[in-house]
Every structure is written in structure tokens, then in C-alpha cells.
Amino acid sequence: MPEQLRSDIRLLGGTLGTVLAEGGGEDLLADVEKLRTAVIGAREGTVDPASITELVDSWPLERAKQVARAFTVYFHLANLAEEHQRMRALRERDDAVHPPHESLAAAVEAVRADCGEDRLAEFVRDMEFHPVLTAHPTEARRRAVSTAIVRIGAELERLHAAHPDSAAEREARRRLTEEVDLLWRTSQLRYTKLDPLDEVRTAMAAFDETIFAVVPQIYRSLDTALDPAGTGTRPPRARAFMRYGSWIGGDRDGNPFVTHEVTREAITIQSEHVLRSLEEACGRVARTLTAYSNLTPAGEDLRDTLATAQAAHPPLMADIAKRSPNEPHRQMLMFATARLRATRERNADLAYRRPEELLEDLRAVQSSLEAAGARRQAYGELQHLIWQAETFGFHLAELEIRQHSAVHARALEEVRAGGGLSEATEEVLATLRVVAWIQERFGVDACRRYIVSFTRSAADVAAVHELAVHALPAGKAPVLDVIPLFETGADLDASPQVLDGMLELPDVRRRLAESGNRLEVMLGYSDSAKDVGPVSATLRLYDVQGRLAEWAERNGVVLTLFHGRGGSLGRGGGPASRALLAQAPGSVDGRFKVTEQGEVIFARYGQRAIAHRHAEQVGHAVLLASTPAVQDRARQAADRFRGLADEIAEAAQASYRELIDTDGFAEWFSRVSPLEELGELRLGSRPSRRSAARGLDDLRAIPWVFAWTQTRVNLPGWYGLGTGLAAASDPEALRAAYAEWPLFASLLDNAEMSLAKTDRAIAERYLRLGGRPELTRKVLDEYDRTRELVLATTGHRRLLENRRVLSRAVDLRNPYVDALSHLQLRALNALRGPEAEKLDADDQRHLERLLLLSVNGVAAGLQNTG
């Protein structure tokens, strides 16, 4: 472990110990320490796990809850220390002579060497990265807890910056202890359920604190990589290649709380945040741009623009001229700042009507500065502001609508019948009217994508267009790009035929003509993995992407694949850059759109250095994945190992389906996991099931994965792979596929990570709660088989052998997660056992609270939920 990380963990852990002793007494600290040493001893083989069960069972429930809270807070502090270590490592890499691994600079260097300067320029020109923030309920931390952790991080930074033994250091230590004390005293659980607008405001924190500031830095990194000597003194060679989207307040699939009123308010909140940020940024640049007119005269166009502003707004311009005499460029930016404020405050006389007007003003200043020889002023901070306006517009992130195809089918049936309309149908029509209002108020790009979940045919796409015609007067329907979402295995297989049908729809053909033949298709990772298992889903998604890329080329369509990836490995998660390089040849083609869900948003966008690194890694992969050399290697490997992959997938899917199709499996799963209690965590506004049904089919993928993670089984990340590998006829071919085929390597590496976070002994205790020993044996036998064959295929002696940092982090965390699992098992045993019906109301409440606290802590410890 790096010495600074070790020091930070000791400091934060020691501070927590002080707080526990002060707040709960020395006996609480002693109980926490007993459990800590016991679980470490159990890992080392010196302590019998049964004695840990006895220890945990001996505590009153109130004490057990305090201990669970203590371990949860410890994980928050350990996560913070690791985050700061990552930032230190990133800063050190920035100082390196050679481009950092997986950076934009490294990608530019590789593409330039492989393809030449002209082809590199084409790649950069066409490059797109489109992250879409979603409110999927996978962030287990309360916002109050997250902000407390941020404050602790700030105090930790101050402590590092202070001189040893100084007053500043003593004050930083005092404030650090105060903040840790407050974190300990802050409830880890939500008492009220989030509503969709709470989720919108939570996402805005990531924008305000990180995203808005980081985006121009990313473009600058690319511009510097393309021409290090010229950046900041010439027109940028890097264009604004990022666009943010959001489902938060627009995703109504199975969420009755997202209404047309919520959607309207969501875009209003977004606009308020981005206009305020643009206003502050424009004002900041204006205050610093004190270029004197004798040295930096205004160009003719800028003088004309200022004269027009003077004629239209004499008092305002007189005040600006008084504050900035003989500083025309500053005057123009101060005027633009005033107009942004007027736009935010809805002052129609002064407001900008659209972001293009702001960009015209900013570029007028830029052109004038360049003509006057002030090139550094033209292409420095002013260029950053232009990049921000180009990226975010006046809406911040495009609000995307999502609804289930069955809802549209029922609504269209009612509309065509011509009678009274149900409340659900009225809501569909009202949503389409709100889309039209958003486009009129903020522009078409603010809300034009409409995603249809469980698309089965082109008729599901046509239904949305027809409903839009019914919703608004003739000629007033909004511009819509209706995006099919293919989720199950069968729907993925049928997707090219559905797209053939879409090309026959007049509305789709018209949009293709208007957009330069651009079409978007969304692929669902979560439900496909839940449907056919992780192995078959991975290979099926790969095949579908290849077939869709061929379809697009055959039909002259510029296709963007929208990847509905979750944060966890069981829902398509894992490093986005590695996944990109493993995509089917031709399926990226310079464009990558992906969902950023739940805890992933703050893991990737909570700190500026980490957000910058994430975007650079994705940008690096987008550029490389589009090059002929990378695609040719992937194509050759896929051709060579396709038959082998089919053998593996067929056997893996059969094994997976055999397990989940077992009679009574759904009930067994509910007994062995905290599945039914997860809804009480109030992680988000969306219900965990699409309807009141209690079977697996109606269960969303998030609680499916989340519950398995809690049991320390992590089944959705690996189940079936062992059977699949065992079915392969040539073990040597398996090892060759791992070495040569990025997709296969990514599949096994992700499974290895899931296996490393699985604890067989503790998992067995959870599985025994279901009273089905044959299912317990089936799961554990598949775990043993998968672990053995994954290691044999990768050539590793232990899990994560080739990923030392991650391996060390998992190994260090596992004993502390064990402590929380023992506490959770106590609660589950009592709530699921034969004496459960005899529990009084107080004990029931305390046990449920202990269960939820332990769920929260395990999620923090494993850094995975759903």
C-alpha cells in the first residue's frame, strides 16, 4: 500500500476511534475492535467463525446497530482515502514525460503513428462522447452523508498542506475530528422516499461542482495533444465532442411518480443551473479581460455590435462603459453576462433567445482579439467559455423521455377508439405536449429523444409518432427521434428486422433526411443479463452490435449505439474504456453513448481529477476503437474463436436458466437475501418492480443484482461461466482466446472481479437460509467450477493477480465487509427464522433497522450496489 494512503487510513481510522469513544463510550470502541480482530482472525484461520456469530448475537440490538454504523462510517472514510490516493497518482502521472496510459495524448500519439495526420484529424472531427445521467436507484448514500464526506476530504487536504506542528495543522486536525464526529452522528439511512425532483437536484450537484468546470479542461487536453506548442494561441483543433443527456425527470418506464409536470420542472431546474454557471463564467472572464483599446483595439464587427447594444439598452451600456472605459472586449463580455442573467430571470427585452446568440457574441470578441494580435486572450479562458456554451447550451443536458411500449399501445388503442381517455393515456399525451413546450422554450436539442422500452416491432416506434399527432394541433407536433430499446435476448436477436421496418415509416424517413441519415439504437445490458445470464448476454450483445453495424453500412445510416450499462458488473458495468475496446468492429465508429447510473455518477464525477481521468479514458478508447488496426485485430480474433464462444455461451445459458427456472427459485431468493427489504432504503423514486407481480420476470435488474451483492455471492457477474468453460472442447484455445480476443478477456476479467468479491463461506450461510440444500449446492458447485476454470484460463495463481492495486483493495476490505455480513445475517436469521412470527414490534423494528444499516455498509465496503 502506498505510504500516504496507509497514513491517511490510519489517521481517519484513529479519528473515528476517538469519535466512537467520545460518542458511544469506550465499551462501544472495544466491541468494534473485538469484531474487527475476530473477522481478520477468521480470514487468517486463527478464529472460528462460529465464535463471531456468538459475539454478534450476544449484543443488544441497539449495540449491534451502533457497531454496524461504525463499520459503515469506516468504509466511507477508507473510500475517501483511496479517492485522494487516486488523485495523487493522477497528478504524478500528469508530470510524466510520456503521455499517461489511456489518455487522450496517448491515443493521439497511437492514431497518428498508425493512420497519419489526415486520418487523425477526421477521427477528432467525428468523435462523440455522450454520457447520459440516470436516476437508477443504486446510490446507497444519503446526500447529507456524501456532503459530509466531501467536507472531511477538504479538511484532509488542509491537513496535508499545513506545516507539521503548526497552528494550521492543529486547527485542521480539530476540524477533521469535528467533521468525522458529525458523519458518525448523521443518519446513514433516508427516512423519506426521494421524489424525482430530489433526484434532479442531486444530479445538479455533480454538474455544479465538477462537470461544468472539467469539460473545457478535457477539450484543452485533446487540443494540447494535437498541437502542444500552438494550443492557446490559435483556433482550437479540438472541437466540443461531449454532450450530456439525462433521464432524470424524463424516465417514466415503471415509475408513476415521473409525470409531465415533473418533466417540465426538471428541464427548468437544469436551465437555471446552466444559465447561472454560464453567467458566472462569463462574468469571471469579463472581469479579467482588461485589454486597453490603444493596445488591443476592437474590430469593426465588435464595434458595430457594441453600438447596436448601446442603441437598444442605453442605461445598461452607459453603466458598463463607466466601469470599463476604453476596454471594448471587456464591455462586450459584461453585456453578455447581463444578457445571461436576463435569460435566467426571463427578462424578454434583454434575454438571449437561444444559445447560438450567446456564441455569436463570444466569437465576435474572440475574432476581434485575434485580429488585434491578442491571440492568447482569444484562445485561452474565452475559448473555455465557448466550449462550455457549445457543450451545455441553455438546457445543460438533453432531457430524454423513456416509456414502455405497452403503455403506448394501450394509449393508441384508446385514442383510435375515439371515446373517453384513461388517466394513463392523458399522461402520455400531456408528456408529448411538454416535449413540444421544451423545444419551443429551449430549442429542439433540449428534448427530442424518446426511448421506447421493450421495443418488439417498428409498430412500437410508429405509435409514438402517431400519438404526437393526436396530442397537438396540426403542424405543432414536436421533433422526435424515437429510439428503440432492445433488452431481452429475443429482442436483441430481432433488432435488425425491427430497424428494417422502421425504415419504412414516413416519420423515420423524414427524420433521417433532416439529420443526415443519423439513427440511434439503445441496447439494454441489465435485462439481457438477467434474462440469459452474463456470459450469453455478453456474447449476444457483441453479435448484435456487429450485425447492427453491418445493417447501418448496408443502408447508408450513421448509427449510434446507446449502451444501457449499469454500474455493477452484473449489469454491464466495469471499466468503460476496456469495454469500448472490446466492442464489435465498426460498432463504435467514433461515437459512444452510455448511461451513467446511480453511484457511478458520483464515483466518476464527484472529484474533478477523477472526472477528467474518466473522460480521457473514454476518449482514448473511442479514438482507438475506431482505427483499422484495432478493428482488424478484433475481427480476426472473433473469427478464430467464434465457434469456441458459441460452445461456452450455449452451455452457460443452459446452466443459468436451469437455476432460475427451478420451481420456487424466486421465493428461495427472497429468503436468502434482503431483496424485499431493499425498497425500505428509499434509494430512489422508482419502484423495484414494474408491477405488483412477485416473480423474477417483473423484478428489475437493479434489485436483482443488489440483493446478490449483499449475500456475498455476486451471482449475476459469473454464474454459468464455469459450466461454459468446462464445455469448451479445447482448453488451449481458451487460453489463446483470453490472450488475443479483447471481448473474451473483458468477460473473464469482469468475472474474476466478481469472484474476488464473493466470499464462499459467508455466501453459504446466506444460501442456507432458504431451506433448499440442493439450490445451495448448485450455486456453490458452480462457483467452485467457475473459479477453478477462470484461473486455469487466465493463467493466474490467484484472483486479480494481474491487477495488484484492485486486488489489494479487495483483500483489505473483505474482512471489514465480513463484519457487516455477520451483523446482517443476525438480522436475516431472526426475520426469516421459525421464531420470526413471535417477534414483538420493537424487536422487529430494530432488526429491520440493523438489516438496512448493514446493507448500506456492505454497499460502501464493496463499492457496489445494483
Side-chain angles (χ1 to χ4, degrees):
M1 184 187 296
E3 186 53 42
Q4 185 63 68
L5 174 59
R6 186 189 305 277
S7 173
D8 284 350
I9 288 178
R10 284 175 176 165
L11 169 66
L12 293 169
T15 303
L16 176 60
T18 299
V19 164
L20 292 179
E22 290 177 353
E26 292 289 346
D27 55 338
L28 170 60
L29 181 59
D31 284 340
V32 169
E33 187 61 19
K34 281 180 195 172
L35 182 55
R36 187 186 74 83
T37 55
V39 291
I40 291 173
R43 286 268 168 177
E44 295 171 345
T46 59
V47 172
D48 182 358
S51 67
I52 303 177
T53 302
E54 291 176 11
L55 172 66
V56 167
D57 288 348
S58 71
W59 290 328
L61 284 171
E62 191 59 42
R63 173 48 53 88
K65 288 193 298 181
Q66 288 180 311
V67 173
R69 185 182 294 111
F71 277 93
T72 300
V73 171
Y74 171 79
F75 276 128
H76 290 321
L77 297 175
N79 291 343
L80 174 66
E82 289 184 352
E83 188 175 80
H84 279 246
Q85 178 61 30
R86 285 199 297 276
M87 290 190 288
R88 277 192 293 269
L90 290 173
R91 285 194 292 267
E92 289 168 6
R93 280 185 218 164
D94 279 346
D95 294 335
V97 175
H98 302 292
H101 179 60
E102 293 186 336
S103 66
L104 286 166
V108 166
E109 191 175 90
V111 174
R112 182 179 277 139
D114 188 39
C115 304
E117 195 69 38
D118 291 344
R119 195 75 178 97
L120 171 62
E122 290 179 22
F123 283 142
V124 171
R125 182 196 64 208
D126 297 334
M127 178 182 178
E128 295 177 11
F129 174 34
H130 193 156
V132 179
L133 309 183
T134 80
H136 286 59
T138 62
E139 172 55 83
R141 295 181 304 187
R142 290 180 62 211
R143 183 65 185 150
V145 170
S146 298
T147 54
I149 293 167
V150 169
R151 293 194 304 270
I152 293 169
E155 295 305 329
L156 188 62
E157 287 288 334
R158 290 191 188 94
L159 182 58
H160 290 327
H163 192 276
D165 298 323
S166 66
E169 184 194 46
R170 289 192 296 274
E171 177 59 12
R173 285 185 184 277
R174 186 195 67 77
R175 286 285 296 120
L176 180 70
T177 307
E178 180 183 342
E179 292 293 355
V180 172
D181 180 74
L182 185 56
L183 176 61
W184 159 252
R185 296 175 187 278
T186 298
S187 173
Q188 300 294 308
L189 304 176
R190 296 183 179 95
Y191 285 92
T192 57
K193 190 175 180 67
L194 290 172
D195 67 40
L197 293 180
D198 292 329
E199 294 166 335
V200 173
R201 295 185 181 98
T202 297
M204 289 303 96
F207 170 79
D208 292 342
E209 296 164 12
T210 305
I211 294 172
F212 186 79
V214 163
V215 160
Q217 296 171 4
I218 294 162
Y219 300 152
R220 182 64 71 186
S221 294
L222 178 57
D223 196 62
T224 302
L226 292 166
D227 176 17
T231 188
T233 63
R234 49 149 177 81
R237 293 179 59 184
R239 49 178 285 278
F241 64 84
M242 296 179 69
R243 291 293 183 274
Y244 279 85
S246 177
W247 282 10
I248 309 175
D251 179 10
R252 58 242 309 124
D253 177 14
N255 190 345
F257 306 109
V258 177
T259 63
H260 66 281
E261 294 100 332
V262 165
T263 298
R264 181 182 173 119
E265 184 63 21
I267 197 72
T268 303
I269 292 170
Q270 286 186 187
S271 178
E272 165 72 19
H273 279 260
V274 73
L275 285 170
R276 190 179 294 278
S277 294
L278 286 169
E279 178 189 336
E280 291 173 356
C282 192
R284 184 173 61 253
V285 177
R287 287 191 296 274
T288 60
L289 191 57
T290 53
Y292 187 53
S293 58
N294 283 3
L295 292 173
T296 316
E300 184 178 351
D301 287 346
L302 184 61
R303 291 198 303 271
D304 290 345
T305 303
L306 285 169
T308 301
Q310 170 65 37
H313 308 282
L316 173 61
M317 294 307 295
D319 180 61
I320 288 174
K322 182 179 178 181
R323 285 186 285 151
S324 304
N326 300 313
E327 296 170 344
H329 300 93
R330 189 185 193 199
Q331 289 175 15
M332 189 65 230
L333 289 180
M334 291 175 72
F335 179 56
T337 304
R339 293 195 70 184
L340 283 165
R341 185 179 309 111
T343 307
R344 180 170 56 82
E345 295 174 351
R346 305 292 299 275
N347 177 354
D349 288 341
L350 186 58
Y352 286 114
R353 289 169 297 176
R354 58 189 192 279
E356 289 75 17
E357 293 180 348
L358 167 64
L359 284 165
E360 287 171 9
D361 285 350
L362 298 180
R363 287 174 181 141
V365 175
Q366 189 174 60
S367 297
S368 176
L369 286 166
E370 182 181 33
R375 299 173 68 85
R376 293 190 183 278
Q377 304 309 316
Y379 299 112
E381 288 303 302
L382 178 58
Q383 180 59 49
H384 286 192
L385 176 58
I386 290 172
W387 275 329
Q388 287 167 324
E390 289 174 333
T391 300
F392 300 110
F394 289 170
H395 57 275
L396 192 157
E398 180 187 350
L399 192 59
E400 299 188 355
I401 308 299
R402 184 172 75 137
Q403 184 54 283
H404 199 290
S405 58
V407 174
H408 300 138
R410 288 192 296 268
L412 192 55
E413 185 179 355
E414 288 185 17
V415 167
R416 287 172 174 172
L421 301 179
S422 66
E423 185 178 340
T425 296
E426 290 284 12
E427 175 58 33
V428 170
L429 299 177
T431 297
L432 288 161
R433 295 181 193 115
V434 165
V435 172
W437 175 83
I438 291 172
Q439 292 185 0
E440 183 179 352
R441 172 75 178 84
F442 300 102
V444 170
D445 286 342
C447 185
R448 61 180 167 83
R449 287 177 167 89
Y450 196 117
I451 297 156
V452 181
S453 299
F454 288 92
T455 299
R456 303 283 162 81
S457 71
D460 292 329
V461 173
V464 178
H465 287 291
E466 186 174 343
L467 286 165
V469 172
H470 285 290
L472 291 114
K476 298 292 186 181
V479 174
L480 290 176
D481 290 323
V482 183
I483 299 169
L485 167 52
F486 302 110
E487 301 182 77
T488 66
D491 291 345
L492 288 167
D493 290 341
S495 57
Q497 290 72 43
V498 174
L499 298 189
D500 284 335
M502 285 177 60
L503 290 185
E504 297 175 7
L505 301 176
D507 291 301
V508 172
R509 289 202 304 271
R510 186 181 66 253
R511 279 300 296 150
L512 284 172
E514 293 168 350
S515 66
N517 274 1
R518 297 175 75 88
L519 183 70
E520 193 170 304
V521 172
M522 185 170 183
L523 306 175
Y525 285 62
S526 304
D527 283 291
S528 59
K530 178 171 163 281
D531 180 35
V532 298
V535 180
S536 187
T538 298
L539 293 168
R540 192 169 296 194
L541 282 160
Y542 180 87
D543 287 343
V544 167
Q545 289 170 45
R547 290 167 61 203
L548 292 177
E550 292 170 0
W551 177 92
E553 185 174 5
R554 192 167 58 246
N555 288 280
V557 168
V558 180
L559 180 67
T560 297
L561 293 178
F562 181 9
H563 302 267
R565 295 163 58 89
S568 63
L569 296 170
R571 295 183 50 244
S577 57
R578 287 174 54 230
L580 253 169
L581 291 170
Q583 302 302 310
S587 63
V588 177
D589 200 21
R591 297 176 298 279
F592 184 55
K593 184 176 181 184
V594 65
T595 50
E596 302 276 37
Q597 302 183 4
E599 82 270 24
V600 169
I601 294 175
F602 287 98
R604 290 177 175 166
Y605 299 101
Q607 295 284 351
R608 293 184 183 183
I610 293 171
H612 193 149
R613 175 61 175 164
H614 169 61
E616 287 231 13
Q617 287 178 306
V618 172
H620 169 274
V622 168
L623 285 173
L624 288 189
S626 306
T627 60
V630 169
Q631 294 187 64
D632 287 346
R633 283 196 296 271
R635 187 178 291 108
Q636 290 168 12
D639 290 344
R640 178 182 173 189
F641 300 111
R642 179 72 263 181
L644 179 70
D646 288 340
E647 289 179 10
I648 295 169
E650 183 179 354
Q653 181 175 337
S655 172
Y656 177 82
R657 289 302 315 185
E658 180 187 3
L659 173 69
I660 67 172
D661 289 339
T662 302
D663 287 342
F665 177 83
E667 293 78 7
W668 177 76
F669 176 45
S670 294
R671 288 190 61 80
V672 304
S673 72
L675 175 66
E676 300 307 326
E677 289 84 0
L678 291 180
E680 296 304 312
L681 277 175
R682 302 178 177 91
L683 300 187
S685 66
R686 192 173 73 165
S688 61
R689 296 180 183 271
R690 285 189 165 92
S691 70
R694 309 308 291 173
L696 286 184
D697 288 345
D698 207 62
L699 180 68
R700 291 186 182 274
I702 289 171
W704 164 254
V705 174
F706 197 168
W708 279 119
T709 302
Q710 289 291 313
T711 65
R712 310 291 295 282
V713 178
N714 287 319
L715 180 146
W718 55 263
Y719 196 90
L721 177 58
T723 297
L725 294 173
S729 55
D730 185 354
E732 285 301 320
L734 289 176
R735 287 187 277 275
Y738 178 73
E740 298 174 30
W741 192 10
L743 175 77
F744 193 66
S746 177
L747 171 64
L748 263 65
D749 287 345
N750 285 344
E752 195 172 2
M753 194 185 308
S754 284
L755 292 166
K757 291 186 176 183
T758 298
D759 184 275
R760 192 187 190 286
I762 289 180
E764 185 173 6
R765 289 190 58 196
Y766 280 93
L767 297 178
R768 285 203 306 261
L769 291 172
R772 297 282 299 273
E774 78 283 9
L775 287 178
T776 298
R777 277 197 308 276
K778 187 185 289 287
V779 171
L780 295 178
D781 286 349
E782 182 65 15
Y783 167 80
D784 293 338
R785 184 181 304 113
T786 303
R787 188 178 188 279
E788 177 187 350
L789 292 176
V790 164
L791 289 174
T793 303
T794 60
H796 299 158
R797 292 166 298 177
R798 60 190 298 274
L799 295 171
L800 299 179
E801 182 181 38
N802 63 330
R803 303 176 71 181
R804 292 176 54 203
V805 174
L806 179 61
S807 175
R808 183 173 58 237
V810 171
D811 287 346
L812 289 170
R813 287 165 177 275
N814 272 338
Y816 298 90
V817 179
D818 293 350
L820 286 158
S821 292
H822 280 286
L823 289 159
Q824 187 175 117
L825 279 162
R826 174 183 175 179
L828 274 177
N829 271 307
L831 292 168
R832 302 285 194 270
E835 303 296 314
E837 293 184 0
K838 299 178 183 178
L839 291 170
D840 61 35
D842 262 2
D843 281 349
Q844 176 92 13
R845 180 170 52 82
H846 283 299
L847 285 165
E848 288 173 351
R849 195 80 177 157
L850 173 60
L851 180 63
L852 295 179
L853 281 166
S854 66
V855 166
N856 197 289
V858 170
L862 295 177
Q863 295 182 299
N864 280 122
T865 54

